[in-house]
Amino acid sequence: MSNNHTGKVITANDLLNGDVVYINSQLKWALRLSDAKVFIDDASFEKALTHANKQQNEVVGIYSININLSDTGIAPNHFREKFRNCLLYTSPSPRDS
């Protein structure tokens, strides 16, 4: 029996190359949804969102997405986010290492 939980992930697009990025647990931008920080409480989410909004020189279009978290990983709830998660990276990036 799997344990399913809901939460939020902060996402944006890299300002230089358009790659989809996600805030990770170090409040840095990561290319993979699997590296994203899942927020389950409002206080830590709001703090991270405030931090993300101060990084307008790195990313554009910052917003949160609702996700399901299970034994198999993070899964976006909405089709748009599922699609964005499947996009190929446009170029090698220092974020990928």
Side-chain angles (χ1 to χ4, degrees), residues 14-34:
D14 186 285
L15 189 58
L16 295 178
N17 60 24
D19 285 342
V20 176
V21 291
Y22 306 93
I23 282 280
N24 67 17
S25 59
Q26 290 82 35
L27 299 182
K28 304 276 186 195
W29 296 104
L31 288 170
R32 292 176 183 80
L33 180 58
S34 60

Side-chain angles (χ1 to χ4, degrees), residues 29-97:
W29 296 104
L31 288 170
R32 292 176 183 80
L33 180 58
S34 60
D35 294 334
K37 164 80 174 151
V38 176
F39 296 94
I40 54 174
D41 68 274
D42 289 339
S44 63
F45 169 75
E46 290 297 329
K47 181 179 175 182
L49 189 58
T50 298
H51 175 77
N53 280 315
K54 292 179 182 176
Q55 298 178 12
Q56 306 258 338
N57 61 329
E58 292 183 48
V59 295
V60 65
I62 301 163
Y63 65 99
S64 68
I65 61 173
N66 294 320
I67 57 94
N68 288 321
L69 182 62
S70 70
D71 296 337
T72 59
I74 301 170
N77 289 349
H78 193 273
F79 171 78
R80 175 179 187 236
E81 302 313 324
K82 291 176 185 175
F83 179 78
R84 285 180 80 234
N85 188 46
C86 293
L87 296 175
L88 297 175
Y89 308 133
T90 57
S91 63
S93 169
R95 287 188 171 92
D96 204 23
S97 54

